[in-house]
Amino acid sequence: MGTQSRVVENVPKGIYVAGEWRDASGGGGFWVEDPGTSKRLCQVADGQAEDAASALDAAVDAQTEWAATPPRERGEILRRAWQLMTDRVDDLAMLMTLEMGKSLAESRTEVTYAAEFLRWFSEEAVRIEGRYAEAPAGGSRLLTMKQPVGPCLLITPWNFPLAMGTRKIGPAVAAGCTMVVKPAQLTPLSMLQLAELLAEAGLPPGVLNVVPSSSAGKTVGPLMSDRRLRKVSFTGSTPVGKSLMEQAAQNLLRVSMELGGNAPFLVFGDADLDAAVDGAVIAKMRNNGESCVAANRFHVAEDVAEEFAAKLAEQLGAMKVGHGAEEGTQVGPLIDGDQRDKVTELVDDAVGKGATVATGGSAAAGDGYFFTPTVLTEVPESARILSEEVFGPVAPVTTFGSEEQALALANGTEFGLVAYVYTQDLRRALRVAEGLQTGMVGLNTGMVSNAAAPFGGVKASGFGREGGVEGIAEYLSTKYVAVSMG
Ligand code: NAP
């Protein structure tokens, strides 16, 4: 059996509840497709509301004992899971490439990045601290302790099938929370494989439960109003995030929201242009452009814009497009036909309004959902691509005159996840970084993601932070104890 069929064959395909793999109630399943061939890979149990309820029952049952498990033990389970992921990077990467499309090299990078969250939070598990203080008026003492929030619902998107999971699961496990995970319908396999791996690393039954489903709203809706649930952490689109916020309000759940982006990439006239082009390729093309931190629009100083666009077009035009599992592929397919159609629509809209195609510009023919890496220049302000998340390998380039204009363009969006800035002037770099309305800034770099850093946005990109020392705080409550010394 080849590696591709073996990794698909080996994935558990059920609902994972209380340490056991079950069929879905009703016995149904849904198909998972390879976006590089548009052919079916396998079927997965189609979780229903009853399955989500059983998963929450299991999480609630496990919560007290799990919270009392020594932090070092929780940390060591995460550390073992990091090791297992690291040992199995090739198989995990192949599975991810098959269900999501990105190149094997990119999948390996994601597996490593995803595993890093487990290692990072294995180290944070033993650093959960409280405070002890004398009351300002003297007499009593003020004691604070951190406790796990309780059972959590973790909902993840398809674009990073493992990393968007581990940056929630890692801190939840470290904090002593139990959880129900709802992976994306398009890419459930990596998460199911991770559940098995975490069990092998020693995670007790009931701490992590996984419910794949083809009807997200119907399946997790009832959980959102279940008073035993204490938190929801969501990564996905802004409209779904808003709807979950409304539901969370009724149950007063703790909420973390990692939502959409529309990242500006600013290149000033004093930038190292070659470095800016290299950074732009990373910020644009990582994950086929299907990343919330993907540079969505390039605003370049007038005097260097032509050269920047020409160099970017040369690099993007030379990238090898193909099935993610093929040797040498740099750009894989988009996730599905809808996504390819949306990218096509945004490019056509821009071109229709006067943009010039410097390279690419259209979907590729044949099986799979491919779109050619594209650079558009002279993109008019009215083009939808400048205000909507494109989620594909398309780089629209526009120009600016002054620093003020650059900042105004960058901030002229409802989103605020990340911005990239290329300049060699330190004072300008800091001024612009301070002025950007985003949760993160890449300064002379096209890559901000790091398990040790707080990832998250402002405005319509959501709130809450994943990774860094901030990441575990999302899963902890502060309890204050007033101590009488009288
Ligand atoms: P999505 O449609 O919002 O889906 C995300 C997850 O929510 C999936 O598991 C989905 O299930 C589930 N879902 C959909 N409707 C739901 C409902 N009514 N109730 C509960 N769950 C529901 O987003 P996507 O298309 O998968 O992901 C792309 C988006 O994610 C982009 O906007 C991107 O910017 C954002 N993103 C943000 C970050 C960040 O950290 N800020 C990171 C990565 C991606 P189904 O799969 O079954 O629909």
Side-chain angles (χ1 to χ4, degrees):
M1 196 189 298
T3 313
Q4 299 190 15
S5 5
R6 178 177 52 79
V7 295
V8 173
E9 181 101 344
N10 285 347
V11 186
K13 304 190 179 62
I15 314 268
Y16 187 59
V17 175
E20 287 175 359
W21 294 96
R22 305 180 178 176
D23 288 338
S25 64
F30 64 90
W31 287 98
V32 181
E33 191 181 270
D34 174 350
T37 59
S38 48
K39 300 222 162 53
R40 290 167 162 186
L41 287 171
C42 63
Q43 259 196 321
V44 163
D46 194 356
Q48 308 294 312
E50 293 83 350
D51 301 305
S54 309
L56 183 60
D57 290 345
V60 170
D61 288 349
Q63 180 58 65
T64 306
E65 199 179 330
W66 179 240
T69 305
R72 177 68 77 199
E73 229 175 274
R74 300 199 300 263
E76 279 171 359
I77 291 168
L78 288 174
R79 177 83 187 192
R80 279 197 294 276
W82 165 77
Q83 187 66 59
L84 288 173
M85 284 183 79
T86 306
D87 294 347
R88 296 175 192 170
V89 59
D90 289 337
D91 280 2
L92 289 168
M94 178 60 86
L95 185 63
M96 187 183 293
T97 287
L98 290 176
E99 68 172 342
M100 189 273 161
K102 69 182 88 176
S103 70
L104 270 179
E106 287 228 42
S107 290
R108 277 195 204 97
T109 305
E110 180 182 340
V111 175
T112 304
Y113 172 53
E116 275 309 321
F117 285 99
L118 303 184
R119 178 157 68 163
W120 173 263
F121 286 109
S122 78
E123 292 154 354
E124 289 297 288
V126 293
R127 306 198 202 296
I128 299 168
E129 293 171 344
R131 274 201 325 268
Y132 180 87
E134 185 177 358
S140 58
R141 299 291 183 269
L142 316 177
L143 187 64
T144 64
M145 62 180 84
K146 301 280 185 189
Q147 294 182 310
V149 165
C152 301
L153 171 61
L154 312 179
I155 305 177
T156 57
W158 50 263
N159 60 345
F160 292 96
L162 279 178
M164 298 303 100
T166 56
R167 64 187 197 178
K168 300 182 192 303
I169 294 166
V173 165
C177 294
T178 60
M179 64 211 82
V180 177
V181 180
K182 210 301 284 171
Q185 180 190 345
L186 294 167
T187 58
L189 303 179
S190 298
M191 181 60 70
L192 294 170
Q193 193 66 73
L194 179 68
E196 189 175 68
L197 183 148
L198 281 161
E200 195 180 333
L203 196 67
V207 174
L208 171 93
N209 306 278
V210 183
V211 185
S213 173
S214 69
S215 50
K218 277 195 203 146
T219 303
V220 304
L223 291 195
M224 293 292 292
S225 55
D226 190 314
R227 295 182 64 177
R228 298 171 304 162
L229 187 72
R230 292 315 324 137
K231 177 179 172 82
V232 59
S233 176
F234 171 75
T235 299
S237 61
T238 298
V240 175
K242 284 182 181 172
S243 149
L244 287 168
M245 283 272 301
E246 282 171 16
Q247 296 170 55
Q250 299 310 313
N251 201 9
L252 287 174
L253 296 175
R254 282 271 298 266
V255 179
S256 303
M257 288 282 153
E258 297 285 350
L259 307 177
N262 176 9
F265 190 105
L266 304 180
V267 183
F268 287 93
D270 59 44
D272 173 338
L273 212 60
D274 289 330
V277 172
D278 290 346
V281 173
I282 294 167
K284 180 69 253 180
M285 297 305 293
R286 180 172 168 235
N287 223 42
N288 306 334
E290 293 170 312
S291 160
C292 54
V293 289
N296 206 55
R297 51 208 166 96
F298 294 79
H299 302 299
V300 185
E302 275 155 8
D303 48 340
V304 294
E306 205 177 316
E307 189 183 348
F308 174 86
K311 287 184 165 174
L312 185 61
E314 195 185 327
Q315 287 215 33
L316 261 54
M319 290 182 93
K320 184 169 182 294
V321 181
H323 190 284
E326 270 166 27
E327 192 63 35
T329 290
Q330 291 170 293
V331 187
L334 297 174
I335 190 69
D336 61 13
D338 288 349
Q339 190 57 35
R340 186 187 52 189
D341 293 347
K342 187 183 166 209
V343 174
T344 307
E345 195 181 305
L346 290 178
V347 169
D348 290 351
D349 169 78
V351 173
K353 287 172 179 162
T356 303
V357 178
T359 187
S362 58
D367 291 339
Y369 309 111
F370 295 92
F371 199 94
T372 319
T374 297
V375 175
L376 302 175
T377 58
E378 294 157 284
V379 182
E381 239 176 82
S382 61
R384 283 170 53 202
I385 200 164
L386 296 179
S387 55
E388 291 178 35
E389 199 178 21
V390 59
F391 245 55
V394 182
V397 181
T398 74
T399 60
F400 64 80
S402 66
E403 185 178 311
E404 291 69 30
Q405 204 189 348
L407 253 185
L409 284 168
N411 289 336
T413 167
E414 60 172 326
F415 296 104
L417 191 57
V418 65
Y420 302 91
V421 182
Y422 273 78
T423 172
Q424 298 195 78
D425 177 335
L426 179 62
R427 276 177 293 189
R428 164 176 281 159
L430 294 177
R431 257 194 329 264
V432 173
E434 285 179 12
L436 284 164
Q437 296 164 0
T438 55
M440 300 175 285
V441 176
L443 213 45
N444 295 318
T445 175
M447 173 85 143
V448 295
S449 303
N450 193 310
F455 188 106
V458 298
K459 294 161 71 180
S461 295
F463 47 79
R465 293 294 179 265
E466 295 190 318
V469 293
E470 291 83 356
I472 197 167
E474 304 278 324
Y475 296 88
L476 292 168
S477 286
T478 301
K479 182 181 279 175
Y480 152 57
V481 183
V483 185
S484 163
M485 300 298 277

